[in-house]
Amino acid sequence: MAGRFPPRAPRPPYPARAPRGAGTEAVSVRGAGTESVSVRATQPRTGGAEQPRTRDWAPRGPLDIGLVLGPLRRGPGDPAFRATQDGALWRVCRTPSGPGTLRVTASGGTVRAQAWGPGGEWLLDRLPALLGDNDEPEAFVARHRLVAATHRARPGLRLTRTGLVLESLIPSILEQKVTADEAYRAWRRLLVKFGDPAPGPAPERMAAMPEPRTWALIPSWEWHRAGVDNKRASTILRAVRVAERMEEAAAMDPVAAAARLELIPGIGPWTSAEVVQRSHGAPDAITTGDLHLPRIIGYALTGGRDTDDEAMLELLAPYAGQRHRAARLILLAGRVPPRRTPKMPRTDIGLL
């Protein structure tokens, strides 16, 4: 479930590589939610390190960048996502133009973004969508006191839209039927070993997701060492073989996109919902088939401990069209049932 856990406190900053000089050319473009935004297009000097392209953007209404971008983080050690003590959020991803690094800060009602790498311009062009400008939180109407209280307390919550499918699909496949720690470990190990170094002065050990061909060439023993069983590895391999068709789904409506993803054997409703929540910012893409989500929602709204998917969907029926947003608000309320059984045991097949 995208946004299951609230953002953690940022770790101490890593040493940054200081960028070297580069010439710049200022241009002005129109942006959603503001009169104008300022973009600096960079032309690196010969022999010098790339300087960042920058963009300032004024969102419509309150915006909490931690809540908006938090669902993109796959664990506290995610090589593609980092929060630093200066309040910045760093994101590294593989865009259609290549790897790109994005640094985002917010101050005084303005968002400042800096980007590096071949994908930097692509990331800046889509900054408003990434920060939920396409979202319509005003369409949400709370039907429960708990939900209403959380909605008032979190006015800056918006649903991100990355416009990228594989970067959410692959880690979602890794999270199938295992603990979060196991999935995060696998994602971290695979990105550090096979990903591309983050462009620009990103924090240490940040990396862009491998390109589809690299995923396809990962040896079977490396999947094993990362703790990924053959079933999940095979599903990822089937997906990257049709990577272009998967990325085309970003331009579809969420229902059609989920249907296309589910054509891949090994991808079901749980995985497709986890993807379109991030790639499309789909407000109604509720996750079904989750081990914990129905019980959390049932306990928060009724006090019951044994809610299943059917009962969860019935509880969320008043939020039709906004069920994912309602679920996020319920999760952010932090009202979870007391644990009655031991945690799911962690199995590391890489040690077998």
Side-chain angles (χ1 to χ4, degrees):
M1 171 70 187
R4 176 177 298 151
F5 305 106
R8 297 186 181 183
R11 291 184 170 188
Y14 288 84
R17 300 184 293 276
R20 290 189 280 264
T24 61
E25 176 188 0
V27 299
S28 179
V29 300
R30 289 281 171 184
T34 181
E35 290 298 319
S36 66
V37 292
S38 173
V39 176
R40 251 181 211 284
T42 305
Q43 300 295 331
R45 294 180 183 138
T46 304
E50 179 189 5
Q51 290 294 297
R53 298 170 173 86
T54 65
R55 177 173 184 175
D56 293 336
W57 175 67
R60 296 176 290 112
L63 177 70
D64 186 326
I65 62 173
L67 284 179
V68 176
L69 299 182
L72 303 181
R73 183 190 65 184
R74 304 293 182 157
D78 186 353
F81 192 99
R82 191 72 50 82
T84 51
Q85 284 189 328
D86 59 359
L89 294 181
W90 293 79
R91 164 171 155 77
V92 184
C93 60
R94 181 169 296 282
T95 75
S97 302
T101 298
L102 183 70
R103 179 182 184 270
V104 181
T105 57
S107 178
T110 300
V111 173
R112 163 64 61 91
Q114 298 171 289
W116 296 262
E121 186 172 351
W122 190 95
L123 290 169
L124 291 181
D125 287 344
R126 288 153 182 82
L127 178 70
L130 181 71
L131 295 179
D133 192 56
N134 295 337
D135 189 25
E136 297 179 350
E138 63 276 5
F140 182 79
V141 179
R143 305 293 183 180
H144 298 83
R145 289 183 179 180
L146 175 74
V147 177
T150 310
H151 193 213
R152 289 193 301 269
R154 304 280 188 165
L157 173 64
R158 296 187 187 181
L159 302 181
T160 186
R161 180 172 184 169
T162 67
L164 298 170
V165 173
L166 279 182
E167 75 161 20
S168 294
L169 177 59
I170 291 175
S172 295
I173 294 171
L174 291 175
E175 293 171 8
Q176 293 175 351
K177 306 297 183 181
V178 296
T179 65
D181 286 344
E182 290 175 81
Y184 295 157
R185 174 185 175 275
W187 175 248
R188 182 169 61 248
R189 182 184 180 103
L190 292 168
L191 256 64
V192 168
K193 186 155 190 177
F194 298 102
D196 292 331
E204 289 281 341
R205 293 178 67 81
M206 291 199 74
M209 187 182 74
E211 59 183 351
R213 177 172 173 78
T214 302
W215 284 111
L217 294 177
I218 294 177
S220 59
W221 58 86
E222 292 292 354
W223 291 107
H224 187 85
R225 288 172 180 170
V228 182
D229 58 73
N230 183 64
K231 182 177 180 180
R232 288 178 292 151
S234 297
T235 302
I236 292 173
L237 294 178
R238 286 191 288 267
V240 299
R241 290 188 185 116
V242 289
E244 291 186 7
R245 297 286 288 167
M246 294 292 97
E247 294 297 351
E248 287 174 3
M252 300 177 175
D253 68 79
V255 174
R260 173 169 289 193
L261 297 180
E262 291 173 26
L263 292 174
I264 303 294
I267 298 177
W270 183 92
T271 305
S272 64
E274 291 288 308
V275 175
V276 299
Q277 287 167 6
R278 298 167 172 87
S279 61
H280 291 68
D284 198 47
I286 184 66
T287 302
T288 56
D290 192 86
L291 179 62
H292 304 290
L293 184 63
R295 296 175 184 175
I296 294 174
I297 289 179
Y299 182 79
L301 297 184
T302 70
R305 294 171 176 266
D306 301 313
T307 305
D308 57 14
D309 275 343
E310 183 178 357
M312 177 186 71
L313 294 176
E314 184 176 346
L315 287 172
L316 295 178
Y319 299 101
Q322 296 281 328
R323 292 177 299 174
H324 170 49
R325 192 191 313 276
R328 280 211 65 189
L329 290 168
I330 293 168
L331 292 170
L332 289 170
R335 186 177 295 179
V336 298
R339 185 178 297 276
R340 294 191 296 182
T341 59
K343 288 185 177 181
M344 181 178 176
R346 174 179 173 178
T347 303
D348 188 353
I349 66 171
L351 301 177
L352 300 179

